[in-house]
Amino acid sequence: SVLADDMDVIYYQGSPYAYAIDHISYHPTPTYLTYEDVLKWYKWFYHPSNMVCSIVSNLPFTKVIAMLKKTAFMDPPSKECPQRPFAFPKLMPTLAPISSGKVNIRYIQKKGVAATILAIGFRTCSLQSPDKYPLMVLQQILNGFSGRLFTALRTKRGLTYSSTCTTDCNEHAGYLQIRVLTDPRRLIQVDCDGVLPVLVHMIEELQRK
């Protein structure tokens, strides 16, 4: 989605991760990756010896094997392309540092959309960091019908249609994101009890704890 792509640019600013691999901005030229390159990759990697077949059935095992033998799944590895034919240069991310106290704000206006989607996110740790485990716990605390997001925003105040917390860790960095769907009039209300103030207060409480 437009919002997800825009958030990735913020999280991974300064590195190739800021753009999805299927985005034209990722490729130096329109012909950098050709159809022939993709076909060679397919023949090199996508063959039966690299696959796992999982079958849940009441059929006898001998029957399953007999069925598989009628397909290419039991064929030996292809010798047509023994070497890896093509690869992008290894990613050496140079993530832009996160300035203390600085907040990146993006506003995307789209015609025909009645509701407002608000996303608040933070860059977090890599997949190898032990900090990923507290983030997973936090995600569980915030999500669900008994989670803090739903309780504070929907049950107590009726401010949102939906609310979720997502955390993801990749090789070099990750993110934690809170995303809500709400009526634009509920984003910031006159009594300072709108969606944004409630979320900011909740985040401040989590930081103190």
Side-chain angles (χ1 to χ4, degrees):
S1 67
V2 175
L3 178 60
D5 291 342
D6 206 55
M7 293 296 284
D8 281 346
V9 173
I10 299 173
Y11 295 141
Y12 305 116
Q13 185 179 2
S15 80
Y17 292 117
Y19 301 98
I21 193 170
D22 58 350
H23 196 286
I24 191 63
S25 301
Y26 179 84
H27 304 283
T29 66
T31 58
Y32 189 54
L33 183 63
T34 66
Y35 171 78
E36 287 73 21
D37 293 324
V38 175
L39 188 60
K40 288 178 181 178
W41 257 104
Y42 171 79
K43 291 181 178 179
W44 177 80
F45 188 78
Y46 291 94
H47 50 77
S49 61
N50 275 352
M51 299 180 188
V52 175
C53 181
S54 177
I55 299 176
V56 179
S57 173
N58 60 358
L59 294 174
F61 185 67
T62 53
K63 179 71 173 178
V64 172
I65 294 297
M67 293 170 59
L68 289 175
K69 285 182 177 179
K70 296 179 181 180
T71 70
F73 196 84
M74 303 293 284
D75 292 346
S78 173
K79 296 181 180 179
E80 183 176 347
C81 190
Q83 300 295 326
R84 185 170 64 176
F86 179 88
F88 288 109
K90 185 177 180 180
L91 291 175
M92 297 298 290
T94 53
L95 291 167
I98 298 177
S99 301
S100 177
K102 182 180 178 182
V103 178
N104 287 302
I105 300 175
R106 297 285 194 279
Y107 174 71
I108 304 171
Q109 189 173 18
K110 192 171 183 180
K111 292 182 178 179
V113 178
T116 293
I117 301 174
L118 171 67
I120 299 177
F122 306 87
R123 186 197 296 166
T124 59
C125 60
S126 69
L127 188 61
Q128 292 75 30
S129 173
D131 290 339
K132 67 181 180 182
Y133 299 112
L135 291 173
M136 293 177 183
V137 173
L138 178 60
Q139 177 179 277
Q140 296 302 316
I141 292 173
L142 294 178
N143 281 335
F145 291 119
S146 60
R148 290 196 178 186
L149 286 174
F150 191 88
T151 301
L153 296 171
R154 179 72 176 179
T155 305
K156 289 184 177 180
R157 298 175 175 87
L159 294 172
T160 57
Y161 304 123
S162 65
S163 56
T164 56
C165 173
T166 305
T167 181
D168 188 28
C169 296
N170 300 305
E171 184 178 0
H172 299 95
Y175 67 84
L176 182 138
Q177 178 177 293
I178 296 173
R179 180 169 173 167
V180 301
L181 182 66
T182 184
D183 187 305
R185 296 168 295 183
R186 300 295 185 93
L187 196 60
I188 301 178
Q189 298 187 157
V190 178
D191 56 3
C192 295
D193 200 30
V195 173
L196 190 55
V198 171
L199 285 177
V200 171
H201 179 68
M202 184 184 298
I203 293 169
E204 289 176 342
E205 281 191 327
L206 291 170
Q207 286 179 323
R208 287 194 293 267
K209 293 179 180 179

